[in-house]
Amino acid sequence: MAQAETATGKAGEAATTAMPRVPNFWDPQATVEKPSRRIVAIRFLTSPDFPPFNFIAPDGRLSGFNVDLAREICETLSAECTIQLRPFADLGRSLEENRGDAIVAGIGISAENRKRFSFSDIYLRFPGRFAALKTAMPDPDRGGLAGKWVAVVANSAHEAFLHAFFSDARIAAYQTRQEALAALKAGKVDAYFGDGMTLGFWLESTQADGCCTFAGGAFLDSTFFGQGMAVALAPRNETLRTAINYALRRIHDSGRYEELYLRYFPISFF
């Protein structure tokens, strides 16, 4: 069995085993080009209904991981920053009509979208993760799932990944994520496999009630789980793309990315 790209090295690394794992998507050997001219202002576009990435907080303030990252980009570049709200379906058209300069809202990096947009460097990816009862933790990284029952959502990318890389496990496909997680909590299965981010929130929720924890490492595979999140820009806006890539790297290297990540994901899904 081959493990897809794991959360070590470029994909993600931990400062110590006791500290939360904060992902690192930037190659330390890569040279990041400084913008050739100053970016005076950036008009970001986002949607208001995708927590924890972009949402309206109870105090009415626009908040979220994407929103705060956009603000950090502007601060790094000493650029004036505006963040405009649009329905998600209207974001691409708003960019094409020059009502904004960049989209920070989780536009998928697909072959079809590459015809409409250019993309910055990836700043977040979504690994698949296993969870298990704290009282009985198989080790997926060392063949511990052979013959074990693993709950997963039926017809999902995560089920396809299990068939491809964990064919020695016994796969229990449920119609909904809630049913699959309930089966894990009740001890009807030995493990659950799904999106690491949402799984992390569930592990800390009252629904989980402290039953379970992550088991094994994080699995990254763009074929199954997508390429991740990046800022979307107009195809010919290379100057801004270069500037945003420079800012993203500076934000990471300064430690501000780690602070931002742990602000919104205190239970790291890496």
Side-chain angles (χ1 to χ4, degrees):
M1 178 199 74
Q3 178 168 328
E5 190 180 343
T6 55
T8 56
K10 181 179 177 182
E13 53 192 17
T16 70
T17 56
M19 296 295 291
R21 291 181 176 138
V22 177
N24 173 16
F25 304 105
W26 291 269
D27 185 349
Q29 305 302 319
T31 300
V32 180
E33 184 180 352
K34 189 173 183 178
S36 58
R37 69 172 186 263
R38 180 172 175 250
I39 301 296
V40 176
I42 306 175
R43 299 171 299 162
F44 280 103
L45 300 165
T46 194
S47 58
D49 51 2
F50 186 35
F53 294 97
N54 15 280
F55 62 94
I56 304 298
D59 63 1
R61 186 173 185 265
L62 179 60
S63 303
F65 180 85
N66 283 338
V67 172
D68 285 355
L69 183 63
R71 291 173 176 144
E72 289 283 356
I73 289 170
C74 290
E75 182 176 339
T76 301
L77 298 173
S78 299
E80 182 182 341
C81 196
T82 60
I83 304 176
Q84 306 170 44
L85 292 178
R86 298 280 189 276
F88 186 83
D90 294 341
L91 291 173
R93 184 170 66 252
S94 296
L95 182 68
E96 290 164 345
E97 294 175 353
N98 196 31
R99 287 185 280 163
D101 303 309
I103 300 172
V104 58
I107 297 290
I109 307 172
S110 64
E112 187 64 27
N113 279 339
R114 285 190 182 278
K115 297 176 183 177
R116 298 181 67 191
F117 314 111
S118 65
F119 289 93
S120 73
D121 292 339
I122 292 168
Y123 60 80
L124 190 61
R125 295 178 68 184
F126 300 99
R129 293 296 307 264
F130 287 97
L133 291 171
K134 292 179 178 178
T135 55
M137 287 190 50
D139 188 346
D141 298 337
R142 291 178 171 80
L145 291 178
K148 303 286 188 180
W149 284 103
V150 180
V152 70
V153 176
N155 303 314
S156 65
H158 296 92
E159 182 185 12
F161 185 89
L162 287 180
H163 284 293
F165 293 101
F166 289 88
S167 57
D168 53 359
R170 304 171 74 181
I171 298 173
Y174 290 82
Q175 290 304 306
T176 69
R177 176 176 171 273
Q178 291 73 19
E179 290 173 331
L181 288 169
L184 172 65
K185 183 179 178 181
K188 297 178 181 179
V189 295
D190 301 289
Y192 165 87
F193 185 66
D195 171 65
M197 183 194 71
T198 53
L199 182 54
F201 286 122
W202 180 80
L203 290 172
E204 289 299 300
S205 70
T206 56
Q207 288 85 359
D209 195 26
C211 70
C212 309
T213 187
F214 283 125
F219 293 83
L220 291 167
D221 191 306
S222 58
T223 301
F224 292 93
F225 309 138
Q227 295 188 46
M229 300 188 87
V231 179
L233 307 101
R236 290 171 295 279
N237 200 346
E238 189 62 25
T239 299
L240 182 56
R241 192 179 80 89
T242 298
I244 288 176
N245 285 342
Y246 172 78
L248 287 172
R249 178 61 181 270
R250 288 287 302 275
I251 291 165
H252 172 265
D253 290 349
S254 69
R256 286 178 291 164
Y257 181 90
E258 178 178 358
E259 187 277 329
L260 182 60
Y261 176 82
L262 293 176
R263 182 189 308 168
Y264 288 99
F265 310 109
I267 305 302
S268 174
F269 49 92
F270 285 83

